[in-house]
Amino acid sequence: MTWPSMSTKKIIYRFEAGKADGSGDMKPLLGGKGAGLAEMANLGIPVPPGFTITTELCTAYYDGDKQMPAGLSDAVAENMAWLEKTLGKKFGDPENPLLVSVRSGARASMPGMMDTILNLGLNDATAQGLSERTKNPRFVYDAYRRFLSMYGSVVLNVKSHVFHEALNQARRRMAKELGIDASVDGEALVRAVPDSQLGADQLKQVVEDFKQIIVTATGKGFPEKPVDQLMGAIGAVFESWNNDRAILYRKMHGIPGEWGTAVNVQSMVFGNLGDTSATGVAFTRDPSTGEKRFFGEWLPNAQGEDVVAGIRTPRPISKTATSAGLSLEESLPQSYKQLHDIQAKLEGHFRDMQDIEFTIEDGRLFMLQTRNGKRAARAEVKVAVDMAKEGLVTQDEAVLRVEAGRLEQLMFPSIDPHAAVRAVAHGLAASPGAVTGRVAFSADDAEKRAERGEPVILVRVETSPEDLHGMKAARGILTARGGATSHAAVVARGMGRSCVVGCHGISIDYETQKMTIRPEKGEISIVDVGDVITIDGSSGGVYLGDVPKVEPKLSGELEELMKWADAGRRMRVRANADTPDQAKKARELGAEGIGLCRTEHMFFEETRIAAVREMILAGDLAARQKAVAKLLPFQTEDFIGIFREMNGLPVTIRLLDPPLHEFLPQQVTQIEELAKTMGVAPSDLGRKVDELHEFNPMLGHRGVRLTVTYPEICAMQTRAILSAACKVQKEGVSVLPEIMIPLSLSKKELELMKAVVLEVAAAVFAEHGVEVKYKYGTMIELPRAALLAHKLAEVAEFFSFGTNDLTQTTLGLSRDDAGRFLPEYVDRGILAHEPFVSLDTEGVGQLVQMAVDRGKQTRPDISLGICGEHGGDPESIFFFDDVGLAYVSCSPFRVPIARLAAAQATLRKRVKGEQGRTV
Amino acid sequence: MTWPSMSTKKIIYRFEAGKADGSGDMKPLLGGKGAGLAEMANLGIPVPPGFTITTELCTAYYDGDKQMPAGLSDAVAENMAWLEKTLGKKFGDPENPLLVSVRSGARASMPGMMDTILNLGLNDATAQGLSERTKNPRFVYDAYRRFLSMYGSVVLNVKSHVFHEALNQARRRMAKELGIDASVDGEALVRAVPDSQLGADQLKQVVEDFKQIIVTATGKGFPEKPVDQLMGAIGAVFESWNNDRAILYRKMHGIPGEWGTAVNVQSMVFGNLGDTSATGVAFTRDPSTGEKRFFGEWLPNAQGEDVVAGIRTPRPISKTATSAGLSLEESLPQSYKQLHDIQAKLEGHFRDMQDIEFTIEDGRLFMLQTRNGKRAARAEVKVAVDMAKEGLVTQDEAVLRVEAGRLEQLMFPSIDPHAAVRAVAHGLAASPGAVTGRVAFSADDAEKRAERGEPVILVRVETSPEDLHGMKAARGILTARGGATSHAAVVARGMGRSCVVGCHGISIDYETQKMTIRPEKGEISIVDVGDVITIDGSSGGVYLGDVPKVEPKLSGELEELMKWADAGRRMRVRANADTPDQAKKARELGAEGIGLCRTEHMFFEETRIAAVREMILAGDLAARQKAVAKLLPFQTEDFIGIFREMNGLPVTIRLLDPPLHEFLPQQVTQIEELAKTMGVAPSDLGRKVDELHEFNPMLGHRGVRLTVTYPEICAMQTRAILSAACKVQKEGVSVLPEIMIPLSLSKKELELMKAVVLEVAAAVFAEHGVEVKYKYGTMIELPRAALLAHKLAEVAEFFSFGTNDLTQTTLGLSRDDAGRFLPEYVDRGILAHEPFVSLDTEGVGQLVQMAVDRGKQTRPDISLGICGEHGGDPESIFFFDDVGLAYVSCSPFRVPIARLAAAQATLRKRVKGEQGRTV
């Protein structure tokens, strides 16, 4: 195919020490590696000269049905000629051959996408010539065999283990020669006969073996002509952009397939020319802790791949207490000093922690790569804050640099990423944190074990309010059924217990007190009661036995960063909290109010559930009022505690929301007991329970529909809220209650409930002789509510978007049931992402925008917030900032994430604005 | 209160023979009765002179907190003075007293809202004077006692039975006097001592008794001053506008509360002055059949209330074969002739069947009322068509005159409205028609009874595919549980069986073969197996025993009307039909295509369900493909039958939609049997069935989500559709298949399925050596689909609105569960009407409008239709016409309704347009 603008467009960018065609800000065109090399060259940092083929050529390759873009080979030839001239060597010249490396390099770092090809340009003739010139045939044939295996596997698709096996044969031959026992295999063999034991002759034989392998596997010989080698390698880089690993990596990291990769062709330098040669990788700061120290590993007399291959143990770059003589600082102090200066210069130049690769060829230092270094979450925070303090970046830049979602890792224990463990089953990640404990299959057993000091994981098919004491006693909860809004999930989140739900891979037999785990791959395991398992509520993973974990630690740097974030953000951050304890936690983590207090969670408490059930099953108004009255003191006490904790901050309280049957007993004995309490026949009560069954409870008799039917519940809850408010206000603590109606779909519902609220308020204020200011508003969680927001705003003083339900209804997708197909929907790109994690801005976002616009149109000062779980998701928070919400509300532990993301939303806009002005 | 523009605005309109202030088109201001009187007066038809107080005064009364609007009493006095002058009588003058009637009269007829008050102006003095003047004291005191009881009960709120009892006392006294046995009561007593037996003295005593009753009940005396009587009566009319009966009636008929009622004050004429006096009501045509004959009833020597009271048997107006001497035509031929001329004139003038009231006072005819007469559905059709043929109205007017929804009554048997029966329980009206049969509690029993020729009603808690043979055998199906989309409802509608579902008042005991019915009021009934019951699938009523029914009859007039409608409408009408039989029925009823063919209904057939279950429970792709292949021939045969029936008309076929577990066996024995067929362990199969359980199946793994997961189902269905199409096309019959994807929420889903369809289509066309034109499109039934319609239209060639699901998701309301609270939501005005019956245009309508606009924006020639049940609802059809849909699709039996409503939608716009031009 012809590449349209090939003739006019620059398709290759050169770099050499001191100058380059490109620069560091050209990542989209040159890829990260190419841009880094160009920038280093421009800075006068020594880099082996070379050139970068732009990403546009990769795109052209795919647009052209995988044909090499026309003109590319001419351009490569022209640039190779320049390189030959620059170095005074010639490609394929046996006298003084030019050898090059070929590397991919995309806009974003994609480790493992394609292996590097080193030493390209070697063939029998150049190897022979180079041997004579260097007087080091061992080095040359070592390089040649490396090149053959890399080229063979990467470009010619020969299985790499075939090369390994051939090399091992050479080792075995050598072992025989040396009289060593070589009946071992794998690493033991390599340790018994290290590469250094293989001399030039042995390696020459390996080269012959490798060439034969290639002939056998491909039916063609290895391309002797260096130009053919080079064009083959370039094509392989283009191909590697769409190999399975690369596609998977891009999907995981949201990298578009259209970006393509650049190809870097660079003259070789050798770290394996002897003891004054070396190669290494380093970070300008410690990537695990963020500590400011030059940190890395190196190997003398080695090529780059040896450092990461793990066969030879790499040595520390800098001198440490125990490193005597091993560190680069001590071994090659001159080179170390130069490297140290360069890394400082690079960090200062790029204003971020750098991840660098270098090679020392016979005492001469060359930089092969520099890029922003990946780092652990805690290091990310520390580096950003430290750099701001050092003046390297501004505080705002520091705030923008930390990926808000990563803070979650700092709030809970997590599975040690270095631990070699594999989950045996996966469920839905319902409440974060990794915990280990002994399995209990009943709430009673869980409680008993906890009392004797055992850590417990409660494992149930599903949970119900009867299991509450067991859930409290357990460290974590695992269920076979249920979704993200199942009883187990909701309660566990509220209690702060780790939780994995809907784990279809397990089946539980209560009778035999065993669970069977059927992993997707591998063998079935049987877990007995009392066995130790680990669950990770952040990933949904289930593990057998104990598993190494990393404990959370809130650093001083994080607090500093939060302060800067708070100074920068426009949106307020509230927390979803249902109890005084949770309110306290929320304030500690910086919440500026409660955006969602779910009153029904108070109902699940064991001492209250009986009254709740009486209320639900009451045959008439009088009986219901009697039951409701029993709940009043509990609710009032709860609200008093919450108001005291929140000390003048707004508290949005949602009236009863879930379908009533969620509270009901299901077991015969429970029904009989309740019937006794209520003085009714068990069969009548059982029928009533059956009658309350709903086919689609999510779309059933819930939310404001309940209080329309039973206004006495609204009256009781209003009384509890306002009595508590009066009492606390009298204590001298200010209170800001906001009464919120759930699931409304019409103005009329809001009017009906407002009449109840007004009547109760008047009575309560009269009783207490004091008035409390409060707001009355509604959730927007149905499409109809969003569509009619201008009407609802005639009554509602505030809107709080319930984006969980709004997502469920807009997409017609039950969160509890979607597990069966939602992963596939995300994988196949039907939905851009899991819509219950990040808001579906394309669909649901339209309704949010509409409701905001229409609400403001009716009531310009309407208060607008969001209390769905998207309130703690950074991507969603950016959207909510865009549409102009006043606050987001999320789980207490996500408050720091939300504070940071909200600040980033503001700062991004400011940066955009400034760019707008300077352009 | 002061009525703002009282001084300048005309608040009272007079009428007398030959002229009137108002006219017939002033119903909003004068009410129906007042406008009718004015129009009759203008036409020179004899009416007793009087005046009408406008509806605005009623509104002012309520706006002013129920105070008589200022200025009203002066205006009334002024107009009474005019009336006195016109008649030469004086109000309250004992010498020659003026008596008046006071009647309410709203814009729309509201029978029973308020009783009429006659003879107002009587008191002891005027009664005395009138007795002397008329020389007929019996007549006067009869009038007086009637006045007292009417006034007492209507204006002074005395219980009317107290007056009846006092009158009966007088009868008993008389009986004693006459030596008649008067130990009887009620009607027997009235028959023993009719009014005519009570003379002037007795009636005078009754008058005294009545006055005493009023003193006792109210603590005040009866107002003797006629002016006070009049103002009291006017206030009572205003009050009656908001009595319970009136409010209920308005709610049932959608009459706004703001309209208010007018008050008609009219001079009395007396039909009870002797044998040359009479009173009666009549229709210009037969209101039951629509036949063109003057039809009505009259009584000699009576006041209006006697005709309707049912104590004296009214006589026919016109001469009949058996009426000899009794008819008005024979008894008072002069008056009859005059009346006959007037009724003809009125019908001609109003161009509609009139319902008239008249009184003959001493041989002189007066008309008291004329209004458009209410009529039975079949009469409505006949009258409209006849009048068009007579040239009284245009064909378009005839089309506009028939209320489309009423045609339903003509399509199914219905409970005789005249039968004195009461439903003992109510469920959801799931499939129309009233049927009677013997109760069977199992499908097998139903089948057995049907085989012996018994009519059967199958009564189940819920139904499942196992019950299919029993449902087929039964005439009707009654279930205790389930909603309008439950298995029973959907299958019954598909089969054309009457069905009532979710009847919570019944409980069924399969063991004892009994059901218990607990009515809302009244006694519990026990129904044994084999007992006769009647269910009405049009109203949801359940009746004990057999109940008189009216059979449907499609008249020639209806066919004529349909022809006129078809000529007038813009929108096409299709039917929802799943089988060749239904397709045939649909065509007979005028469907112009199939708008929704639900492929899964074919799956419920007993012979196919096993293969369906195999498909669902298959462990892997191979097993699933094997099961799917079994279904292919069935589906292909079905489609062949349908295409042949539809003979070139478009057929929209929806791919598999419902959640899979709907098809699964639930009973242990069934699971075991299936496991045997499939060669798997029953326990494994049971677990799989459990796993498929969904919390909210409506929002679960269904619709296109199923075929995304299992594309082989899409492939099989496409193959069945297109193979059938190829075969039928080769027969020389043209075919227009439209493949429709359900429940889509993204463009990508449509792309994925289109790829499958294209591949199968290419293969099928190659196999058959013929190509068939087909369309590919989607349902719009999720808010997200509507919001992203512009994207979906990039792939979809047509949209069909699935307004059932769109309503469920937009309102967050499960149709199956809403029964618990939806009636209250409509009653309390939270929703304007049942949103599953008539489209919620305010909310859901916005999404429909949006999807239409956005779809057209992408693809201007996109085909747009609707196949939800709203497609058969006239109000919704008007909306669909407004937004510009190309067609509606509904159940076959509603096709005539849709054809008529679609025509009305077009004609209404044309009328509006013409009005627009003339104004």
Side-chain angles (χ1 to χ4, degrees), chain B residues 22-39:
Chain B
S23 64
D25 55 8
M26 292 172 76
K27 277 189 190 176
L29 194 63
L30 304 182
K33 188 187 290 278
L37 286 165
E39 192 70 9

Side-chain angles (χ1 to χ4, degrees), chain B residues 258-545:
Chain B
E258 302 84 60
W259 281 3
T261 179
V263 187
N264 298 290
V265 179
Q266 193 173 17
S267 52
M268 283 298 303
V269 288
F270 297 98
N272 53 346
L273 279 183
D275 291 342
T276 54
S277 296
T279 191
V281 297
F283 291 87
T284 58
R285 306 194 180 210
D286 186 328
S288 299
T289 64
E291 201 187 330
K292 184 168 176 158
R293 63 181 181 113
F294 184 41
F295 175 91
E297 294 177 326
W298 73 290
L299 278 175
N301 195 17
Q303 271 200 330
E305 55 172 342
D306 300 327
V307 180
V308 286
I311 295 166
R312 289 168 61 189
T313 305
R315 305 176 178 182
I317 291 268
S318 304
K319 199 166 114 182
T320 65
T322 57
S323 67
L326 291 173
S327 72
L328 184 67
E329 191 171 5
E330 291 150 300
S331 304
L332 296 167
Q334 281 295 97
S335 295
Y336 177 79
K337 190 179 176 311
Q338 195 189 353
L339 181 64
H340 194 276
D341 290 348
I342 286 172
Q343 66 90 17
K345 187 173 183 178
L346 285 172
E347 188 179 272
H349 180 73
F350 288 105
R351 303 166 59 245
D352 200 354
M353 184 185 100
Q354 295 298 296
D355 166 358
I356 58 178
E357 289 179 22
F358 64 90
T359 286
I360 300 167
E361 186 183 76
D362 225 355
R364 205 170 147 209
L365 176 68
F366 292 93
M367 302 302 296
L368 300 181
Q369 172 156 302
T370 189
R371 60 184 175 193
N372 293 339
K374 294 198 185 298
R375 63 208 84 172
R378 77 186 61 191
E380 188 158 317
V381 172
K382 183 168 169 58
V383 168
V385 172
D386 284 353
M387 283 190 171
K389 287 185 180 166
E390 291 161 21
L392 213 53
V393 299
T394 65
Q395 290 181 353
D396 285 352
E397 282 171 320
V399 165
L400 281 167
R401 261 201 197 164
V402 176
E403 195 188 319
R406 299 192 79 199
L407 297 188
E408 183 174 334
Q409 293 176 31
L410 307 183
M411 316 296 291
F412 293 96
S414 53
I415 304 285
D416 185 344
H418 302 304
V421 291
R422 210 167 57 102
V424 289
H426 272 100
L428 288 172
S431 181
V435 290
T436 299
R438 293 191 180 279
V439 168
F441 292 113
S442 73
D444 289 344
D445 187 30
E447 202 174 38
K448 238 180 287 167
R449 286 174 184 274
E451 277 165 10
R452 348 186 248 267
E454 278 181 19
V456 178
I457 308 289
L458 177 63
V459 180
R460 300 282 299 165
V461 175
E462 326 180 69
T463 65
S464 72
E466 278 79 23
D467 297 322
L468 219 75
H469 61 290
M471 297 172 78
K472 237 181 199 168
R475 292 202 175 176
I477 296 122
L478 169 63
T479 71
R481 282 209 222 145
T485 54
S486 61
H487 177 264
V490 168
V491 172
R493 277 198 295 273
M495 286 183 175
R497 297 290 179 277
S498 296
C499 183
V500 173
V501 297
C503 184
H504 293 292
I506 68 172
S507 45
I508 300 162
D509 188 337
Y510 290 132
E511 212 169 314
T512 60
Q513 291 278 296
K514 280 179 199 304
M515 86 173 145
T516 310
I517 303 183
R518 289 184 175 73
E520 286 106 67
K521 279 176 195 171
E523 288 196 2
I524 289 178
S525 325
I526 307 287
V527 174
D528 281 305
V529 65
D531 283 358
V532 171
I533 65 168
T534 299
I535 64 171
D536 183 358
S538 308
S539 72
V542 178
Y543 303 81
L544 298 177

Side-chain angles (χ1 to χ4, degrees), chain A residues 355-414:
Chain A
D355 168 357
I356 58 180
E357 290 179 20
F358 64 91
T359 286
I360 299 167
E361 186 182 76
D362 224 354
R364 206 173 147 208
L365 175 69
F366 292 94
M367 301 303 296
L368 300 181
Q369 171 157 303
T370 189
R371 60 183 175 194
N372 293 338
K374 295 202 182 296
R375 63 209 82 175
R378 75 188 60 193
E380 187 158 319
V381 172
K382 184 168 169 56
V383 168
V385 171
D386 285 353
M387 284 192 171
K389 286 184 179 168
E390 293 161 19
L392 213 53
V393 299
T394 64
Q395 291 181 353
D396 285 352
E397 282 172 320
V399 166
L400 281 167
R401 259 198 198 168
V402 176
E403 193 188 320
R406 298 193 79 199
L407 296 188
E408 183 174 335
Q409 293 177 30
L410 307 182
M411 316 295 291
F412 294 95
S414 52

Side-chain angles (χ1 to χ4, degrees), chain B residues 518-747:
Chain B
R518 289 184 175 73
E520 286 106 67
K521 279 176 195 171
E523 288 196 2
I524 289 178
S525 325
I526 307 287
V527 174
D528 281 305
V529 65
D531 283 358
V532 171
I533 65 168
T534 299
I535 64 171
D536 183 358
S538 308
S539 72
V542 178
Y543 303 81
L544 298 177
D546 196 355
V547 161
K549 284 180 282 291
V550 182
E551 285 303 312
K553 215 162 85 185
L554 284 192
S555 64
E557 280 89 4
L558 180 55
E559 291 193 9
E560 196 121 17
L561 188 74
M562 283 295 126
K563 238 181 275 165
W564 301 345
D566 290 348
R569 68 191 152 87
R570 178 189 67 74
M571 281 199 297
R572 303 288 91 189
V573 174
R574 300 193 192 178
N576 299 348
D578 308 335
T579 62
D581 278 357
Q582 290 174 13
K584 184 157 180 264
K585 183 80 189 161
R587 285 215 60 184
E588 281 167 13
L589 291 168
E592 296 159 298
I594 292 179
L596 177 62
C597 174
R598 286 155 295 205
T599 51
E600 62 271 15
H601 285 187
M602 305 172 174
F603 288 180
F604 281 119
E605 293 265 332
E606 213 174 354
T607 43
R608 307 173 181 189
I609 191 81
V612 174
R613 288 171 176 169
E614 259 186 78
M615 171 180 85
I616 296 167
L617 297 168
D620 55 29
L621 179 64
R624 193 157 45 247
Q625 277 174 330
K626 201 180 124 205
V628 159
K630 289 189 194 170
L631 289 166
L632 180 64
F634 293 124
Q635 291 237 304
T636 309
E637 275 314 302
D638 285 332
F639 293 134
I640 287 174
I642 289 172
F643 289 142
R644 281 186 188 143
E645 283 296 345
M646 296 313 288
N647 190 18
L649 294 175
V651 178
T652 310
I653 298 165
R654 181 178 74 184
L655 301 189
L656 189 66
D657 182 48
L660 295 180
H661 60 72
E662 278 196 11
F663 299 101
L664 291 183
Q666 298 302 339
Q667 291 162 30
V668 177
T669 52
Q670 293 164 353
I671 290 172
E672 281 168 359
E673 203 171 299
L674 185 63
K676 215 166 139 191
T677 316
M678 294 179 62
V680 298
S683 61
D684 285 351
L685 195 64
R687 197 174 46 243
K688 184 103 194 206
V689 169
D690 279 352
E691 274 173 21
L692 283 171
H693 166 81
E694 292 186 312
F695 296 97
N696 297 285
M698 200 61 74
L699 308 177
H701 197 190
R702 50 174 289 230
V704 66
R705 296 162 194 176
L706 288 174
T707 43
V708 165
T709 312
Y710 307 119
E712 51 279 13
I713 297 177
C714 170
M716 179 276 282
Q717 294 199 300
T718 302
R719 174 167 282 276
I721 293 166
L722 295 180
S723 301
C726 287
K727 282 180 191 162
V728 173
Q729 185 169 294
K730 280 194 208 161
E731 292 170 5
V733 178
S734 50
V735 282
L736 263 178
E738 304 182 331
I739 297 176
M740 181 159 73
I741 304 297
L743 212 76
S744 59
L745 55 73
S746 76
K747 178 184 159 190

